Amino acid sequence: MNKLVVTAAGQVTEADLSTTRLGSRFGRLDLMSQLALLAVEKLGVNFDSLPRERIAICLAAKAGSLSTDVEFWKGRNALGGPSPTLFAYTLPSAAIGEIAIRHRLTGPNLCFVGNSQDVLPEAADLLWRGEADACVCLYCQVISADGGKLIQSLPVSNVCALFLQRDGVGQVLPEEFDSDMESLCAKFRA
């Protein structure tokens, strides 16, 4: 393999959800999973043309599942206790599961609680080592007002996504890439 290629890039915010419905389960998902799933949809990748067991998913979540965790915790005093439906989303990797289920992707997956520089080196490593032929890369910033108070951060809700392939058709990722996901999404979308 000689090069890594970005074949699709995009970004979504909470405002994009107002007109979106992706099946009967979509409304039950937590905000990060909804945004991550929508970001992948907006990439427009035809997963039918690729071997699904060779497509990886790498996701970094700036605050993990903190916003969902806070909502779940607030439910402890509610009649009936915390929501069992919400409990499934108290892991940062829940969004990966939702993407894998919807698109039947069975390749490797990695989840990081961290920044947007964490995703691409790991995705590139999966491709260079031959563990996958392509990778859905996501950087999720989902911090509710209540979660933001805990970590002293402003509320934010957006996800940027890239589809990275080995030797595909698209914009070549420089060998020495030091950009974060947000910068690359903006660059490759333009």
mmCIF file with all atom_site columns, all heavy atoms in Angstrom, residues 81-109:
data_model
loop_
_atom_site.group_PDB
_atom_site.id
_atom_site.type_symbol
_atom_site.label_atom_id
_atom_site.label_alt_id
_atom_site.label_comp_id
_atom_site.label_asym_id
_atom_site.label_entity_id
_atom_site.label_seq_id
_atom_site.pdbx_PDB_ins_code
_atom_site.Cartn_x
_atom_site.Cartn_y
_atom_site.Cartn_z
_atom_site.occupancy
_atom_site.B_iso_or_equiv
_atom_site.pdbx_formal_charge
_atom_site.auth_seq_id
_atom_site.auth_comp_id
_atom_site.auth_asym_id
_atom_site.auth_atom_id
_atom_site.pdbx_PDB_model_num
ATOM 1   N N   . GLY A 1 81  ? -36.824 4.861  38.551 1.00 0.00 ? 81  GLY A N   1
ATOM 2   C CA  . GLY A 1 81  ? -35.358 4.870  38.507 1.00 0.00 ? 81  GLY A CA  1
ATOM 3   C C   . GLY A 1 81  ? -34.808 5.295  37.153 1.00 0.00 ? 81  GLY A C   1
ATOM 4   O O   . GLY A 1 81  ? -35.544 5.737  36.280 1.00 0.00 ? 81  GLY A O   1
ATOM 5   N N   . PRO A 1 82  ? -33.501 5.153  36.992 1.00 0.00 ? 82  PRO A N   1
ATOM 6   C CA  . PRO A 1 82  ? -32.855 5.562  35.738 1.00 0.00 ? 82  PRO A CA  1
ATOM 7   C C   . PRO A 1 82  ? -33.356 4.750  34.545 1.00 0.00 ? 82  PRO A C   1
ATOM 8   O O   . PRO A 1 82  ? -33.748 3.599  34.692 1.00 0.00 ? 82  PRO A O   1
ATOM 9   C CB  . PRO A 1 82  ? -31.371 5.297  35.978 1.00 0.00 ? 82  PRO A CB  1
ATOM 10  C CG  . PRO A 1 82  ? -31.216 4.976  37.405 1.00 0.00 ? 82  PRO A CG  1
ATOM 11  C CD  . PRO A 1 82  ? -32.555 4.615  37.947 1.00 0.00 ? 82  PRO A CD  1
ATOM 12  N N   . SER A 1 83  ? -33.298 5.342  33.390 1.00 0.00 ? 83  SER A N   1
ATOM 13  C CA  . SER A 1 83  ? -33.790 4.711  32.168 1.00 0.00 ? 83  SER A CA  1
ATOM 14  C C   . SER A 1 83  ? -32.882 3.566  31.720 1.00 0.00 ? 83  SER A C   1
ATOM 15  O O   . SER A 1 83  ? -31.703 3.779  31.441 1.00 0.00 ? 83  SER A O   1
ATOM 16  C CB  . SER A 1 83  ? -33.861 5.751  31.047 1.00 0.00 ? 83  SER A CB  1
ATOM 17  O OG  . SER A 1 83  ? -34.001 5.121  29.795 1.00 0.00 ? 83  SER A OG  1
ATOM 18  N N   . PRO A 1 84  ? -33.427 2.355  31.612 1.00 0.00 ? 84  PRO A N   1
ATOM 19  C CA  . PRO A 1 84  ? -32.607 1.246  31.100 1.00 0.00 ? 84  PRO A CA  1
ATOM 20  C C   . PRO A 1 84  ? -32.228 1.448  29.630 1.00 0.00 ? 84  PRO A C   1
ATOM 21  O O   . PRO A 1 84  ? -31.179 0.990  29.192 1.00 0.00 ? 84  PRO A O   1
ATOM 22  C CB  . PRO A 1 84  ? -33.494 0.013  31.282 1.00 0.00 ? 84  PRO A CB  1
ATOM 23  C CG  . PRO A 1 84  ? -34.862 0.519  31.534 1.00 0.00 ? 84  PRO A CG  1
ATOM 24  C CD  . PRO A 1 84  ? -34.750 1.934  32.009 1.00 0.00 ? 84  PRO A CD  1
ATOM 25  N N   . THR A 1 85  ? -33.058 2.158  28.886 1.00 0.00 ? 85  THR A N   1
ATOM 26  C CA  . THR A 1 85  ? -32.736 2.457  27.494 1.00 0.00 ? 85  THR A CA  1
ATOM 27  C C   . THR A 1 85  ? -31.522 3.370  27.417 1.00 0.00 ? 85  THR A C   1
ATOM 28  O O   . THR A 1 85  ? -30.632 3.162  26.596 1.00 0.00 ? 85  THR A O   1
ATOM 29  C CB  . THR A 1 85  ? -33.934 3.120  26.782 1.00 0.00 ? 85  THR A CB  1
ATOM 30  O OG1 . THR A 1 85  ? -35.066 2.270  26.907 1.00 0.00 ? 85  THR A OG1 1
ATOM 31  C CG2 . THR A 1 85  ? -33.636 3.381  25.329 1.00 0.00 ? 85  THR A CG2 1
ATOM 32  N N   . LEU A 1 86  ? -31.470 4.368  28.272 1.00 0.00 ? 86  LEU A N   1
ATOM 33  C CA  . LEU A 1 86  ? -30.350 5.302  28.289 1.00 0.00 ? 86  LEU A CA  1
ATOM 34  C C   . LEU A 1 86  ? -29.072 4.633  28.775 1.00 0.00 ? 86  LEU A C   1
ATOM 35  O O   . LEU A 1 86  ? -27.980 4.987  28.363 1.00 0.00 ? 86  LEU A O   1
ATOM 36  C CB  . LEU A 1 86  ? -30.703 6.506  29.168 1.00 0.00 ? 86  LEU A CB  1
ATOM 37  C CG  . LEU A 1 86  ? -29.871 7.765  29.004 1.00 0.00 ? 86  LEU A CG  1
ATOM 38  C CD1 . LEU A 1 86  ? -29.859 8.237  27.562 1.00 0.00 ? 86  LEU A CD1 1
ATOM 39  C CD2 . LEU A 1 86  ? -30.421 8.856  29.912 1.00 0.00 ? 86  LEU A CD2 1
ATOM 40  N N   . PHE A 1 87  ? -29.213 3.628  29.648 1.00 0.00 ? 87  PHE A N   1
ATOM 41  C CA  . PHE A 1 87  ? -28.043 2.946  30.197 1.00 0.00 ? 87  PHE A CA  1
ATOM 42  C C   . PHE A 1 87  ? -27.130 2.401  29.099 1.00 0.00 ? 87  PHE A C   1
ATOM 43  O O   . PHE A 1 87  ? -25.906 2.453  29.205 1.00 0.00 ? 87  PHE A O   1
ATOM 44  C CB  . PHE A 1 87  ? -28.464 1.811  31.135 1.00 0.00 ? 87  PHE A CB  1
ATOM 45  C CG  . PHE A 1 87  ? -27.297 1.042  31.686 1.00 0.00 ? 87  PHE A CG  1
ATOM 46  C CD1 . PHE A 1 87  ? -26.466 1.617  32.639 1.00 0.00 ? 87  PHE A CD1 1
ATOM 47  C CD2 . PHE A 1 87  ? -27.023 -0.241 31.241 1.00 0.00 ? 87  PHE A CD2 1
ATOM 48  C CE1 . PHE A 1 87  ? -25.380 0.917  33.142 1.00 0.00 ? 87  PHE A CE1 1
ATOM 49  C CE2 . PHE A 1 87  ? -25.941 -0.943 31.744 1.00 0.00 ? 87  PHE A CE2 1
ATOM 50  C CZ  . PHE A 1 87  ? -25.118 -0.360 32.699 1.00 0.00 ? 87  PHE A CZ  1
ATOM 51  N N   . ALA A 1 88  ? -27.711 1.901  28.020 1.00 0.00 ? 88  ALA A N   1
ATOM 52  C CA  . ALA A 1 88  ? -26.920 1.332  26.924 1.00 0.00 ? 88  ALA A CA  1
ATOM 53  C C   . ALA A 1 88  ? -25.979 2.349  26.289 1.00 0.00 ? 88  ALA A C   1
ATOM 54  O O   . ALA A 1 88  ? -24.993 1.973  25.656 1.00 0.00 ? 88  ALA A O   1
ATOM 55  C CB  . ALA A 1 88  ? -27.851 0.760  25.864 1.00 0.00 ? 88  ALA A CB  1
ATOM 56  N N   . TYR A 1 89  ? -26.257 3.622  26.469 1.00 0.00 ? 89  TYR A N   1
ATOM 57  C CA  . TYR A 1 89  ? -25.448 4.676  25.849 1.00 0.00 ? 89  TYR A CA  1
ATOM 58  C C   . TYR A 1 89  ? -24.489 5.341  26.834 1.00 0.00 ? 89  TYR A C   1
ATOM 59  O O   . TYR A 1 89  ? -23.905 6.371  26.526 1.00 0.00 ? 89  TYR A O   1
ATOM 60  C CB  . TYR A 1 89  ? -26.368 5.700  25.181 1.00 0.00 ? 89  TYR A CB  1
ATOM 61  C CG  . TYR A 1 89  ? -27.179 5.042  24.102 1.00 0.00 ? 89  TYR A CG  1
ATOM 62  C CD1 . TYR A 1 89  ? -28.489 4.647  24.326 1.00 0.00 ? 89  TYR A CD1 1
ATOM 63  C CD2 . TYR A 1 89  ? -26.596 4.737  22.884 1.00 0.00 ? 89  TYR A CD2 1
ATOM 64  C CE1 . TYR A 1 89  ? -29.207 3.974  23.351 1.00 0.00 ? 89  TYR A CE1 1
ATOM 65  C CE2 . TYR A 1 89  ? -27.311 4.073  21.906 1.00 0.00 ? 89  TYR A CE2 1
ATOM 66  C CZ  . TYR A 1 89  ? -28.610 3.697  22.148 1.00 0.00 ? 89  TYR A CZ  1
ATOM 67  O OH  . TYR A 1 89  ? -29.307 3.023  21.167 1.00 0.00 ? 89  TYR A OH  1
ATOM 68  N N   . THR A 1 90  ? -24.311 4.734  28.002 1.00 0.00 ? 90  THR A N   1
ATOM 69  C CA  . THR A 1 90  ? -23.375 5.290  28.979 1.00 0.00 ? 90  THR A CA  1
ATOM 70  C C   . THR A 1 90  ? -21.955 4.791  28.748 1.00 0.00 ? 90  THR A C   1
ATOM 71  O O   . THR A 1 90  ? -21.105 4.896  29.625 1.00 0.00 ? 90  THR A O   1
ATOM 72  C CB  . THR A 1 90  ? -23.820 4.994  30.433 1.00 0.00 ? 90  THR A CB  1
ATOM 73  O OG1 . THR A 1 90  ? -23.906 3.588  30.608 1.00 0.00 ? 90  THR A OG1 1
ATOM 74  C CG2 . THR A 1 90  ? -25.153 5.674  30.740 1.00 0.00 ? 90  THR A CG2 1
ATOM 75  N N   . LEU A 1 91  ? -21.688 4.279  27.580 1.00 0.00 ? 91  LEU A N   1
ATOM 76  C CA  . LEU A 1 91  ? -20.345 3.919  27.135 1.00 0.00 ? 91  LEU A CA  1
ATOM 77  C C   . LEU A 1 91  ? -20.018 4.752  25.902 1.00 0.00 ? 91  LEU A C   1
ATOM 78  O O   . LEU A 1 91  ? -20.848 4.870  24.991 1.00 0.00 ? 91  LEU A O   1
ATOM 79  C CB  . LEU A 1 91  ? -20.257 2.439  26.756 1.00 0.00 ? 91  LEU A CB  1
ATOM 80  C CG  . LEU A 1 91  ? -20.424 1.432  27.885 1.00 0.00 ? 91  LEU A CG  1
ATOM 81  C CD1 . LEU A 1 91  ? -20.519 0.029  27.319 1.00 0.00 ? 91  LEU A CD1 1
ATOM 82  C CD2 . LEU A 1 91  ? -19.258 1.538  28.854 1.00 0.00 ? 91  LEU A CD2 1
ATOM 83  N N   . PRO A 1 92  ? -18.824 5.324  25.820 1.00 0.00 ? 92  PRO A N   1
ATOM 84  C CA  . PRO A 1 92  ? -18.477 6.135  24.647 1.00 0.00 ? 92  PRO A CA  1
ATOM 85  C C   . PRO A 1 92  ? -18.512 5.341  23.341 1.00 0.00 ? 92  PRO A C   1
ATOM 86  O O   . PRO A 1 92  ? -18.719 5.906  22.282 1.00 0.00 ? 92  PRO A O   1
ATOM 87  C CB  . PRO A 1 92  ? -17.061 6.624  24.940 1.00 0.00 ? 92  PRO A CB  1
ATOM 88  C CG  . PRO A 1 92  ? -16.815 6.367  26.365 1.00 0.00 ? 92  PRO A CG  1
ATOM 89  C CD  . PRO A 1 92  ? -17.773 5.309  26.822 1.00 0.00 ? 92  PRO A CD  1
ATOM 90  N N   . SER A 1 93  ? -18.334 4.026  23.428 1.00 0.00 ? 93  SER A N   1
ATOM 91  C CA  . SER A 1 93  ? -18.303 3.203  22.221 1.00 0.00 ? 93  SER A CA  1
ATOM 92  C C   . SER A 1 93  ? -19.692 2.853  21.682 1.00 0.00 ? 93  SER A C   1
ATOM 93  O O   . SER A 1 93  ? -19.803 2.195  20.648 1.00 0.00 ? 93  SER A O   1
ATOM 94  C CB  . SER A 1 93  ? -17.525 1.912  22.498 1.00 0.00 ? 93  SER A CB  1
ATOM 95  O OG  . SER A 1 93  ? -18.151 1.184  23.542 1.00 0.00 ? 93  SER A OG  1
ATOM 96  N N   . ALA A 1 94  ? -20.754 3.285  22.343 1.00 0.00 ? 94  ALA A N   1
ATOM 97  C CA  . ALA A 1 94  ? -22.110 2.962  21.890 1.00 0.00 ? 94  ALA A CA  1
ATOM 98  C C   . ALA A 1 94  ? -22.353 3.439  20.455 1.00 0.00 ? 94  ALA A C   1
ATOM 99  O O   . ALA A 1 94  ? -23.002 2.740  19.673 1.00 0.00 ? 94  ALA A O   1
ATOM 100 C CB  . ALA A 1 94  ? -23.145 3.565  22.835 1.00 0.00 ? 94  ALA A CB  1
ATOM 101 N N   . ALA A 1 95  ? -21.817 4.594  20.103 1.00 0.00 ? 95  ALA A N   1
ATOM 102 C CA  . ALA A 1 95  ? -22.011 5.118  18.744 1.00 0.00 ? 95  ALA A CA  1
ATOM 103 C C   . ALA A 1 95  ? -21.381 4.192  17.701 1.00 0.00 ? 95  ALA A C   1
ATOM 104 O O   . ALA A 1 95  ? -21.939 4.007  16.618 1.00 0.00 ? 95  ALA A O   1
ATOM 105 C CB  . ALA A 1 95  ? -21.425 6.521  18.633 1.00 0.00 ? 95  ALA A CB  1
ATOM 106 N N   . ILE A 1 96  ? -20.237 3.600  18.030 1.00 0.00 ? 96  ILE A N   1
ATOM 107 C CA  . ILE A 1 96  ? -19.604 2.646  17.111 1.00 0.00 ? 96  ILE A CA  1
ATOM 108 C C   . ILE A 1 96  ? -20.549 1.474  16.867 1.00 0.00 ? 96  ILE A C   1
ATOM 109 O O   . ILE A 1 96  ? -20.735 1.032  15.735 1.00 0.00 ? 96  ILE A O   1
ATOM 110 C CB  . ILE A 1 96  ? -18.256 2.148  17.659 1.00 0.00 ? 96  ILE A CB  1
ATOM 111 C CG1 . ILE A 1 96  ? -17.225 3.268  17.635 1.00 0.00 ? 96  ILE A CG1 1
ATOM 112 C CG2 . ILE A 1 96  ? -17.751 0.944  16.864 1.00 0.00 ? 96  ILE A CG2 1
ATOM 113 C CD1 . ILE A 1 96  ? -15.897 2.912  18.276 1.00 0.00 ? 96  ILE A CD1 1
ATOM 114 N N   . GLY A 1 97  ? -21.150 0.969  17.931 1.00 0.00 ? 97  GLY A N   1
ATOM 115 C CA  . GLY A 1 97  ? -22.086 -0.141 17.799 1.00 0.00 ? 97  GLY A CA  1
ATOM 116 C C   . GLY A 1 97  ? -23.260 0.198  16.909 1.00 0.00 ? 97  GLY A C   1
ATOM 117 O O   . GLY A 1 97  ? -23.677 -0.618 16.078 1.00 0.00 ? 97  GLY A O   1
ATOM 118 N N   . GLU A 1 98  ? -23.804 1.396  17.067 1.00 0.00 ? 98  GLU A N   1
ATOM 119 C CA  . GLU A 1 98  ? -24.946 1.805  16.240 1.00 0.00 ? 98  GLU A CA  1
ATOM 120 C C   . GLU A 1 98  ? -24.563 1.899  14.758 1.00 0.00 ? 98  GLU A C   1
ATOM 121 O O   . GLU A 1 98  ? -25.334 1.492  13.889 1.00 0.00 ? 98  GLU A O   1
ATOM 122 C CB  . GLU A 1 98  ? -25.518 3.132  16.737 1.00 0.00 ? 98  GLU A CB  1
ATOM 123 C CG  . GLU A 1 98  ? -26.163 3.047  18.098 1.00 0.00 ? 98  GLU A CG  1
ATOM 124 C CD  . GLU A 1 98  ? -27.369 2.124  18.173 1.00 0.00 ? 98  GLU A CD  1
ATOM 125 O OE1 . GLU A 1 98  ? -27.998 1.822  17.135 1.00 0.00 ? 98  GLU A OE1 1
ATOM 126 O OE2 . GLU A 1 98  ? -27.695 1.697  19.299 1.00 0.00 ? 98  GLU A OE2 1
ATOM 127 N N   . ILE A 1 99  ? -23.383 2.421  14.483 1.00 0.00 ? 99  ILE A N   1
ATOM 128 C CA  . ILE A 1 99  ? -22.907 2.505  13.090 1.00 0.00 ? 99  ILE A CA  1
ATOM 129 C C   . ILE A 1 99  ? -22.697 1.104  12.529 1.00 0.00 ? 99  ILE A C   1
ATOM 130 O O   . ILE A 1 99  ? -23.113 0.804  11.406 1.00 0.00 ? 99  ILE A O   1
ATOM 131 C CB  . ILE A 1 99  ? -21.606 3.330  13.019 1.00 0.00 ? 99  ILE A CB  1
ATOM 132 C CG1 . ILE A 1 99  ? -21.888 4.792  13.379 1.00 0.00 ? 99  ILE A CG1 1
ATOM 133 C CG2 . ILE A 1 99  ? -20.963 3.226  11.634 1.00 0.00 ? 99  ILE A CG2 1
ATOM 134 C CD1 . ILE A 1 99  ? -20.653 5.610  13.715 1.00 0.00 ? 99  ILE A CD1 1
ATOM 135 N N   . ALA A 1 100 ? -22.052 0.247  13.304 1.00 0.00 ? 100 ALA A N   1
ATOM 136 C CA  . ALA A 1 100 ? -21.785 -1.124 12.858 1.00 0.00 ? 100 ALA A CA  1
ATOM 137 C C   . ALA A 1 100 ? -23.088 -1.882 12.588 1.00 0.00 ? 100 ALA A C   1
ATOM 138 O O   . ALA A 1 100 ? -23.189 -2.600 11.595 1.00 0.00 ? 100 ALA A O   1
ATOM 139 C CB  . ALA A 1 100 ? -20.943 -1.854 13.904 1.00 0.00 ? 100 ALA A CB  1
ATOM 140 N N   . ILE A 1 101 ? -24.073 -1.718 13.449 1.00 0.00 ? 101 ILE A N   1
ATOM 141 C CA  . ILE A 1 101 ? -25.363 -2.390 13.264 1.00 0.00 ? 101 ILE A CA  1
ATOM 142 C C   . ILE A 1 101 ? -26.055 -1.897 12.000 1.00 0.00 ? 101 ILE A C   1
ATOM 143 O O   . ILE A 1 101 ? -26.497 -2.683 11.167 1.00 0.00 ? 101 ILE A O   1
ATOM 144 C CB  . ILE A 1 101 ? -26.273 -2.175 14.494 1.00 0.00 ? 101 ILE A CB  1
ATOM 145 C CG1 . ILE A 1 101 ? -25.737 -2.954 15.693 1.00 0.00 ? 101 ILE A CG1 1
ATOM 146 C CG2 . ILE A 1 101 ? -27.718 -2.576 14.182 1.00 0.00 ? 101 ILE A CG2 1
ATOM 147 C CD1 . ILE A 1 101 ? -26.374 -2.564 17.016 1.00 0.00 ? 101 ILE A CD1 1
ATOM 148 N N   . ARG A 1 102 ? -26.139 -0.584 11.844 1.00 0.00 ? 102 ARG A N   1
ATOM 149 C CA  . ARG A 1 102 ? -26.866 -0.027 10.694 1.00 0.00 ? 102 ARG A CA  1
ATOM 150 C C   . ARG A 1 102 ? -26.238 -0.435 9.361  1.00 0.00 ? 102 ARG A C   1
ATOM 151 O O   . ARG A 1 102 ? -26.936 -0.745 8.399  1.00 0.00 ? 102 ARG A O   1
ATOM 152 C CB  . ARG A 1 102 ? -26.938 1.492  10.787 1.00 0.00 ? 102 ARG A CB  1
ATOM 153 C CG  . ARG A 1 102 ? -27.684 2.110  9.604  1.00 0.00 ? 102 ARG A CG  1
ATOM 154 C CD  . ARG A 1 102 ? -28.034 3.543  9.853  1.00 0.00 ? 102 ARG A CD  1
ATOM 155 N NE  . ARG A 1 102 ? -28.629 4.172  8.716  1.00 0.00 ? 102 ARG A NE  1
ATOM 156 C CZ  . ARG A 1 102 ? -29.918 4.124  8.393  1.00 0.00 ? 102 ARG A CZ  1
ATOM 157 N NH1 . ARG A 1 102 ? -30.752 3.446  9.142  1.00 0.00 ? 102 ARG A NH1 1
ATOM 158 N NH2 . ARG A 1 102 ? -30.380 4.752  7.339  1.00 0.00 ? 102 ARG A NH2 1
ATOM 159 N N   . HIS A 1 103 ? -24.896 -0.418 9.309  1.00 0.00 ? 103 HIS A N   1
ATOM 160 C CA  . HIS A 1 103 ? -24.217 -0.686 8.034  1.00 0.00 ? 103 HIS A CA  1
ATOM 161 C C   . HIS A 1 103 ? -23.601 -2.080 7.963  1.00 0.00 ? 103 HIS A C   1
ATOM 162 O O   . HIS A 1 103 ? -22.883 -2.389 7.006  1.00 0.00 ? 103 HIS A O   1
ATOM 163 C CB  . HIS A 1 103 ? -23.161 0.391  7.783  1.00 0.00 ? 103 HIS A CB  1
ATOM 164 C CG  . HIS A 1 103 ? -23.762 1.740  7.596  1.00 0.00 ? 103 HIS A CG  1
ATOM 165 N ND1 . HIS A 1 103 ? -24.451 2.088  6.459  1.00 0.00 ? 103 HIS A ND1 1
ATOM 166 C CD2 . HIS A 1 103 ? -23.808 2.809  8.412  1.00 0.00 ? 103 HIS A CD2 1
ATOM 167 C CE1 . HIS A 1 103 ? -24.890 3.326  6.573  1.00 0.00 ? 103 HIS A CE1 1
ATOM 168 N NE2 . HIS A 1 103 ? -24.520 3.781  7.754  1.00 0.00 ? 103 HIS A NE2 1
ATOM 169 N N   . ARG A 1 104 ? -23.841 -2.901 8.991  1.00 0.00 ? 104 ARG A N   1
ATOM 170 C CA  . ARG A 1 104 ? -23.334 -4.268 9.048  1.00 0.00 ? 104 ARG A CA  1
ATOM 171 C C   . ARG A 1 104 ? -21.815 -4.321 8.859  1.00 0.00 ? 104 ARG A C   1
ATOM 172 O O   . ARG A 1 104 ? -21.291 -5.170 8.140  1.00 0.00 ? 104 ARG A O   1
ATOM 173 C CB  . ARG A 1 104 ? -24.071 -5.154 8.043  1.00 0.00 ? 104 ARG A CB  1
ATOM 174 C CG  . ARG A 1 104 ? -25.562 -5.228 8.319  1.00 0.00 ? 104 ARG A CG  1
ATOM 175 C CD  . ARG A 1 104 ? -26.336 -6.117 7.370  1.00 0.00 ? 104 ARG A CD  1
ATOM 176 N NE  . ARG A 1 104 ? -25.994 -6.087 5.958  1.00 0.00 ? 104 ARG A NE  1
ATOM 177 C CZ  . ARG A 1 104 ? -26.441 -5.192 5.076  1.00 0.00 ? 104 ARG A CZ  1
ATOM 178 N NH1 . ARG A 1 104 ? -27.260 -4.255 5.445  1.00 0.00 ? 104 ARG A NH1 1
ATOM 179 N NH2 . ARG A 1 104 ? -26.080 -5.276 3.816  1.00 0.00 ? 104 ARG A NH2 1
ATOM 180 N N   . LEU A 1 105 ? -21.121 -3.411 9.529  1.00 0.00 ? 105 LEU A N   1
ATOM 181 C CA  . LEU A 1 105 ? -19.659 -3.365 9.461  1.00 0.00 ? 105 LEU A CA  1
ATOM 182 C C   . LEU A 1 105 ? -19.093 -4.239 10.577 1.00 0.00 ? 105 LEU A C   1
ATOM 183 O O   . LEU A 1 105 ? -19.413 -4.049 11.746 1.00 0.00 ? 105 LEU A O   1
ATOM 184 C CB  . LEU A 1 105 ? -19.159 -1.928 9.621  1.00 0.00 ? 105 LEU A CB  1
ATOM 185 C CG  . LEU A 1 105 ? -19.714 -0.911 8.621  1.00 0.00 ? 105 LEU A CG  1
ATOM 186 C CD1 . LEU A 1 105 ? -19.159 0.477  8.901  1.00 0.00 ? 105 LEU A CD1 1
ATOM 187 C CD2 . LEU A 1 105 ? -19.434 -1.333 7.190  1.00 0.00 ? 105 LEU A CD2 1
ATOM 188 N N   . THR A 1 106 ? -18.249 -5.191 10.208 1.00 0.00 ? 106 THR A N   1
ATOM 189 C CA  . THR A 1 106 ? -17.728 -6.139 11.194 1.00 0.00 ? 106 THR A CA  1
ATOM 190 C C   . THR A 1 106 ? -16.208 -6.083 11.326 1.00 0.00 ? 106 THR A C   1
ATOM 191 O O   . THR A 1 106 ? -15.615 -6.962 11.935 1.00 0.00 ? 106 THR A O   1
ATOM 192 C CB  . THR A 1 106 ? -18.164 -7.576 10.840 1.00 0.00 ? 106 THR A CB  1
ATOM 193 O OG1 . THR A 1 106 ? -17.693 -7.897 9.522  1.00 0.00 ? 106 THR A OG1 1
ATOM 194 C CG2 . THR A 1 106 ? -19.679 -7.718 10.902 1.00 0.00 ? 106 THR A CG2 1
ATOM 195 N N   . GLY A 1 107 ? -15.591 -5.057 10.783 1.00 0.00 ? 107 GLY A N   1
ATOM 196 C CA  . GLY A 1 107 ? -14.142 -4.908 10.918 1.00 0.00 ? 107 GLY A CA  1
ATOM 197 C C   . GLY A 1 107 ? -13.769 -4.426 12.312 1.00 0.00 ? 107 GLY A C   1
ATOM 198 O O   . GLY A 1 107 ? -14.629 -4.248 13.182 1.00 0.00 ? 107 GLY A O   1
ATOM 199 N N   . PRO A 1 108 ? -12.485 -4.201 12.539 1.00 0.00 ? 108 PRO A N   1
ATOM 200 C CA  . PRO A 1 108 ? -12.037 -3.750 13.856 1.00 0.00 ? 108 PRO A CA  1
ATOM 201 C C   . PRO A 1 108 ? -12.611 -2.380 14.198 1.00 0.00 ? 108 PRO A C   1
ATOM 202 O O   . PRO A 1 108 ? -12.948 -1.595 13.312 1.00 0.00 ? 108 PRO A O   1
ATOM 203 C CB  . PRO A 1 108 ? -10.516 -3.690 13.728 1.00 0.00 ? 108 PRO A CB  1
ATOM 204 C CG  . PRO A 1 108 ? -10.200 -3.807 12.293 1.00 0.00 ? 108 PRO A CG  1
ATOM 205 C CD  . PRO A 1 108 ? -11.393 -4.329 11.581 1.00 0.00 ? 108 PRO A CD  1
ATOM 206 N N   . ASN A 1 109 ? -12.713 -2.110 15.494 1.00 0.00 ? 109 ASN A N   1
ATOM 207 C CA  . ASN A 1 109 ? -13.147 -0.773 15.908 1.00 0.00 ? 109 ASN A CA  1
ATOM 208 C C   . ASN A 1 109 ? -12.383 -0.347 17.144 1.00 0.00 ? 109 ASN A C   1
ATOM 209 O O   . ASN A 1 109 ? -11.966 -1.170 17.955 1.00 0.00 ? 109 ASN A O   1
ATOM 210 C CB  . ASN A 1 109 ? -14.664 -0.709 16.107 1.00 0.00 ? 109 ASN A CB  1
ATOM 211 C CG  . ASN A 1 109 ? -15.153 -1.634 17.176 1.00 0.00 ? 109 ASN A CG  1
ATOM 212 O OD1 . ASN A 1 109 ? -14.922 -1.406 18.357 1.00 0.00 ? 109 ASN A OD1 1
ATOM 213 N ND2 . ASN A 1 109 ? -15.840 -2.692 16.777 1.00 0.00 ? 109 ASN A ND2 1
#
